[in-house]
Amino acid sequence: MSRINHADVPSVVHGVMLTLTGNKKTAKEAQRTAARAVKRATQALSRRAPRRRSRRGGLLVALAAAVVGAGAVLAWRAMVPPGEPGPAKRPEEPVLPPVPPVP
């Protein structure tokens, strides 16, 4: 409805009033004005709204993002050495600080 030219509406109403009062010449002119207004309104309403992206395009973008994410995870896993890191080993004998020699 926002695409209809509201400026044509008063002239159409005026033409209807002239038709009712009996002024044939002005009534015919108002009829032509009304026909033009209807034609313009029909054309304005038949124009397509701007196309939005298709769902297929959004699906492809999501699929590409998933592939890039999986590739990043696999690359990171390839850089990390395999296996779990073990706990730190305890030395079997306690390490004593060095003792200076006795003279």
Side-chain angles (χ1 to χ4, degrees):
M1 292 302 287
S2 64
R3 291 182 274 181
I4 294 176
N5 187 1
H6 289 35
D8 291 333
V9 174
S11 63
V12 172
V13 171
H14 180 69
V16 170
M17 292 301 295
L18 290 174
T19 304
L20 293 175
T21 59
N23 191 342
K24 289 183 181 183
K25 182 180 177 185
T26 313
K28 274 192 173 184
E29 187 179 325
Q31 185 179 7
R32 279 187 245 123
T33 304
R36 277 185 296 211
V38 168
K39 183 178 178 182
R40 274 192 232 120
T42 305
Q43 286 175 348
L45 291 175
S46 67
R47 280 189 219 125
R48 283 190 172 181
R51 283 193 65 181
R52 293 176 46 193
R53 287 186 175 206
S54 66
R55 291 183 185 216
R56 186 179 298 166
L59 183 61
L60 289 175
V61 169
L63 183 62
V67 168
V68 168
V73 167
L74 290 175
W76 178 72
R77 296 283 280 168
M79 290 189 295
V80 175
E84 290 281 325
K89 294 183 179 178
R90 282 188 129 170
E92 293 181 19
E93 295 180 13
V95 177
L96 300 173
V99 180
V102 179

